[in-house]
Amino acid sequence: MAQRRPVPTYHGPLDPAAIAVLAERVGLALIAVALPVAVGAFVGLALTAGSLPAATEAAAAALSGPLTTARGLSWLFYVSTLGTALGCWILGLGLLLDGLDL
């Protein structure tokens, strides 16, 4: 008959160095995925708008409205910009924790 073994649990404080490494990796991965999509969506907006000032106005309009109203390239630009910003925040958290001497 098989004996049940207790599942090991961690009861100590979290290691900031481990969290820093994880946050840096996750942040860089989000940026690496979302930033090229944001640049590509902006280029698509520029090609459909016809000029760079019209593309910047379209991108600003996409970012100023709610997420549910954007469609097509505007929605893709909005989501990828949010993903890039989230990646930057997570990377910054990892760098901050890495710089702490705890």
Side-chain angles (χ1 to χ4, degrees):
M1 185 172 215
Q3 296 280 329
R4 291 185 68 191
R5 294 185 182 176
V7 177
T9 58
Y10 183 72
H11 294 292
L14 294 175
D15 184 24
I19 295 172
V21 169
L22 180 64
E24 288 173 5
R25 289 180 181 171
V26 169
L28 284 174
L30 277 172
I31 293 169
V33 169
L35 186 60
V37 175
V39 171
F42 182 77
V43 168
L45 285 173
L47 291 176
T48 57
S51 68
L52 189 59
T56 55
E57 288 179 15
L63 292 176
S64 65
L67 180 60
T68 57
T69 60
R71 300 269 187 234
L73 284 175
S74 299
W75 181 83
L76 185 63
F77 180 72
Y78 193 14
V79 170
S80 60
T81 303
L82 287 177
T84 303
L86 179 64
C88 288
W89 276 97
I90 294 173
L91 176 63
L93 173 68
L95 293 174
L96 176 73
L97 290 175
D98 191 29
L100 293 177
D101 291 328
L102 297 176

